[in-house]
Amino acid sequence: MTLRSMLARIGAQEDLNFLLTNRIPRRLATRFMGWFSPIEQPLVRDASLFLWRLFCDVDLSDARTTRFRSLHDAFIRELKDGARPVASDPAVLTSPCDAIVGAHGRVEGGRVFQVKGFPYRLSDLLPDAETAAHYAGGTYVTLRLTAGMYHRFHAPHDCRVESVTYVAGDTWNVNPIALKRVEALFCKNERAVVRTTLLASGHRVTLVPVAAILVASLRFRFLDITLDLRRKGPRTLPCDAELRKGEEMGWFQHGSTIIVLAPEGFGLCEGLREGGRIRMGEPLMRLPQGDAPEGSIRSD
């Protein structure tokens, strides 16, 4: 048995996993990671990169470089050109990130699920009732990024980002073990609510990046500030950033979750299943048939 497989077996023990990743000073540990991970001293860098690769399933074969200045530099690595082809069909909303697909489906009664049997209300996740009401009868998908994954996220369609609301909160782990134990976990954690409007159809699609333990910051390319635990919230930052499908929006410091919300009429793409993996740029949802932009490829 290898050391990595032994560590994985220990991590699979739910009680121990929950204890080690949640029953510690979460905010303090997260702020420590925000200080520690950018250290560029070679011995610190090499040791932290070794431990990262030991504990996490990391694939750097598609990274633009494998020589990193720090652990932080590795977390937010860029990819080689063409490493993530983006589905060009204008009737398709693509995944904003590499992820494991979590709970997904219809928004019913203002509720969605973090896992089976654990519902939460959109009005608790989002900072205002009007945004929550807009997605009544709509579609949602939960996308979980693990610590070893590519951590940047991208525009799911040609869109205009109209505002970002930062909501201060806790830093619970967002792995499946915690999701089965902590009620309305996503509504408790630090998060950002990114409101976008699709350029061709006018549909409003909202992305909610949710931070977690050891996620020291959220950064958006179209904002000149870093959103982290030192900031109070909720705080809305107006912006007017036009992005093309697949264009980079920002990045997490570490692994976490993005919840994608689309209005009524959007449907999930075939093959999407809980526990399955999806890459940035792959089909996630389909626009309503009657509102699909001209030139789209429709499925019967």
Side-chain angles (χ1 to χ4, degrees), residues 237-290:
L237 306 166
C239 56
D240 185 17
E242 188 171 307
L243 301 174
R244 295 299 169 185
K245 182 190 282 190
E247 190 172 350
E248 184 181 305
M249 299 183 84
W251 60 84
F252 285 109
Q253 169 83 353
H254 202 197
S256 195
T257 292
I258 296 179
I259 301 164
V260 182
L261 299 167
E264 187 173 8
F266 280 67
L268 297 170
C269 288
E270 291 184 8
L272 203 71
R273 62 176 181 82
E274 190 165 349
R277 289 185 175 249
I278 191 168
R279 283 187 159 195
M280 189 284 290
E282 293 181 343
L284 184 71
M285 298 184 191
R286 297 198 71 85
L287 276 66
Q289 288 287 328

Side-chain angles (χ1 to χ4, degrees), residues 127-128 130-131 160-166 192-197 204-209 220 222-223 227 235-242 249:
D128 63 274
E130 188 274 336
T131 301
R160 175 169 283 105
V161 181
E162 298 177 343
S163 69
V164 175
T165 299
Y166 171 76
V193 178
V194 185
R195 300 174 184 84
T196 75
T197 298
R204 289 166 56 190
V205 172
T206 292
L207 276 62
V208 186
F220 294 91
F222 43 81
L223 296 176
L227 302 176
R235 176 189 178 195
T236 298
L237 306 166
C239 56
D240 185 17
E242 188 171 307
M249 299 183 84

Side-chain angles (χ1 to χ4, degrees), residues 8 70 124:
S70 64
D124 293 330

